[in-house]
């Protein structure tokens, strides 16, 4: 009998949050940083950016691990058609939340699965619309000091 080992599951990410989410499935997996340039292209919509980055991350890692099943993901916030990236620091987080307060923001979350050995690649995007409360500056500051989401 010729038994093939199950392909290795690989998360193409540096995100501790994505690692934690995948760990909830209680499946063994490896993590490999994808090293993908996340710069938006000219005229690229937020949904397309999320999709392209997820597919690129999964594809780059799948090229290095052709026998693995690779998961790549990205999320882009969309404020009136503008891609809003990760703030990176406190000052930019304050500015982003000031711009978003009282507004509707769509979060485009893309997930891509690639297995080179099987010739499989698929990317899907889900959108979630969030309406931000009209927070005052003190509320924004308290939130950022408590959560530090950057």
């Amino acid at each position: 009998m010729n038994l093939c080992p199950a392909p290795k599951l690989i998360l193409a990410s540096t995100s501790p949050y994505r690692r934690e989410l995948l760990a909830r499935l209680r499946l063994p997996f490896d993590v490999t940083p994808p090293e993908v340039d996340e710069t938006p292209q000219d005229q690229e919509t937020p949904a397309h950016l999320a999709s392209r980055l997820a597919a690129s991350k999964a594809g780059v890692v799948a090229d290095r691990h052709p026998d693995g099943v690779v998961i790549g993901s990205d999320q882009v916030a969309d404020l009136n058609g503008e891609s809003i990236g990760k703030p990176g620091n406190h000052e930019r987080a304050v500015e982003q939340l000031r711009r978003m307060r009282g507004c509707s923001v769509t979060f485009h979350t893309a997930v891509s699965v690639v297995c080179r050995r099987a010739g499989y690649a698929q990317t899907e995007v889900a959108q979630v619309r969030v309406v931000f409360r009209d927070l005052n500056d003190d509320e924004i500051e308290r939130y950022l000091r408590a959560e530090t989401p950057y």
Side-chain angles (χ1 to χ4, degrees):
M1 183 177 355
N2 184 11
L3 294 177
C4 294
K8 185 173 280 192
L9 182 61
I10 303 168
L11 177 62
S13 181
T14 57
S15 166
Y17 179 69
R18 288 198 179 89
R19 180 184 299 197
E20 180 185 312
L21 282 175
L22 189 55
R24 290 180 188 176
L25 295 177
R26 297 185 180 178
L27 297 171
F29 68 94
D30 291 338
V31 177
T32 300
E35 300 170 14
V36 168
D37 180 4
E38 298 190 15
T39 305
Q41 296 174 347
D42 289 341
Q43 307 300 314
E44 187 170 35
T45 66
H48 186 267
L49 175 60
S51 178
R52 179 178 60 82
L53 291 178
S56 294
K57 291 173 183 181
V60 164
V61 173
D63 288 344
R64 292 186 295 214
H65 303 277
D67 290 335
V69 174
V70 181
I71 300 171
S73 182
D74 206 271
Q75 183 179 70
V76 177
D78 177 344
L79 177 62
N80 301 319
E82 178 187 349
S83 295
I84 305 295
K86 297 169 187 71
N89 64 43
H90 185 83
E91 292 74 25
R92 288 199 308 242
V94 167
E95 181 54 37
Q96 281 185 1
L97 288 173
R98 284 178 178 159
R99 288 183 61 211
M100 292 177 179
R101 62 182 161 197
C103 295
S104 174
V105 177
T106 301
F107 289 87
H108 301 276
T109 303
V111 177
S112 185
V113 177
V114 176
C115 180
R116 296 287 188 229
R117 178 180 69 179
Y120 181 85
Q122 185 166 345
T123 303
E124 298 291 336
V125 180
Q127 290 88 18
V128 175
R129 184 174 156 264
V130 175
V131 178
F132 280 74
R133 288 183 24 215
D134 192 7
L135 300 172
N136 64 43
D137 287 349
D138 288 338
E139 290 170 318
I140 288 173
E141 194 62 38
R142 278 195 306 275
Y143 165 72
L144 291 175
R145 295 290 178 203
E147 296 295 327
T148 58
Y150 32 84

